[in-house]
Amino acid sequence: MSGRKLFGLAVMGSAAAYSAHFVVVQIEYLREKLSPPTVESKVSPEWPGTVPRLPQLEAPPKVNLQNGTPQPSAIFRAEK
């Protein structure tokens, strides 16, 4: 082979290798950006053995709401 052909093959080979490397880098970048985020599950040994108690409710109101003053009901009439 002549020197020119060998040089041309070397240039084409290096360009193909660089292009392949560039494609691999782009695929890895897109895979990283488009993949769902990884969630690390942590098993905590500090879990309390019992559930904390709920806070106590306040005393019920002294007003009996069922026997209060009646509220006027809204009357809807069709307008003519």
Side-chain angles (χ1 to χ4, degrees):
M1 285 190 151
S2 68
R4 279 190 132 164
K5 285 186 180 181
L6 191 58
F7 180 74
L9 285 175
V11 169
M12 286 176 36
S14 63
Y18 181 75
S19 296
H21 173 73
F22 180 75
V23 168
V24 169
V25 169
Q26 291 300 312
I27 290 173
E28 289 175 355
Y29 172 78
L30 290 174
R31 183 178 294 152
E32 178 183 328
K33 290 295 178 185
L34 297 178
S35 66
T38 57
V39 177
E40 295 182 19
S41 61
K42 177 183 173 191
V43 179
S44 175
E46 301 149 359
W47 176 259
T50 60
V51 177
R53 295 178 67 184
L54 294 174
Q56 295 294 325
L57 295 175
E58 297 177 6
K62 295 180 181 179
V63 178
N64 189 351
L65 298 176
Q66 292 179 351
N67 295 334
T69 58
Q71 297 290 332
S73 60
I75 300 172
F76 297 102
R77 294 183 183 161
E79 294 183 21
K80 294 181 181 180

